[in-house]
Amino acid sequence: REFVESNGGKFLVGIQNQDERMESYLKANGIPFVSLKGAAFYTGGYGPHWTPEGQQDVANRIEGLLAANGIAAKK
């Protein structure tokens, strides 16, 4: 966070799995974040990768985070 902000960036976090301790830390420190939990992923031999629908879901959530923090306009 310090490196990003000292170079003029905005520090944001995406959390793939539920992590209450991490969410509490981010909230307590005013760090914007988005949960990506629940996005559809392959359960077979593909490994832990999102499906095309899961990719779209994640993209929409990240787009919302960016828009909410004045980084990009939501379409």
Side-chain angles (χ1 to χ4, degrees):
R1 177 182 187 182
E2 184 178 312
F3 176 79
V4 171
E5 292 177 350
S6 70
N7 284 284
K10 177 94 175 178
F11 188 73
L12 309 170
V13 175
I15 302 174
Q16 281 187 269
N17 300 308
Q18 186 164 348
D19 186 335
E20 291 181 21
R21 287 182 60 211
M22 176 63 77
E23 290 181 22
S24 293
Y25 174 84
L26 295 171
K27 287 177 186 175
N29 288 280
I31 299 171
F33 70 95
V34 66
S35 171
L36 306 175
K37 183 179 181 219
F41 63 93
Y42 292 108
T43 58
Y46 296 101
H49 299 286
W50 290 307
T51 64
E53 297 80 14
Q55 290 281 357
Q56 185 63 59
D57 184 18
V58 166
N60 291 340
R61 294 183 202 190
I62 292 173
E63 181 183 38
L65 176 67
L66 295 174
N69 286 278
I71 296 171
K74 190 166 181 157
K75 294 180 181 180

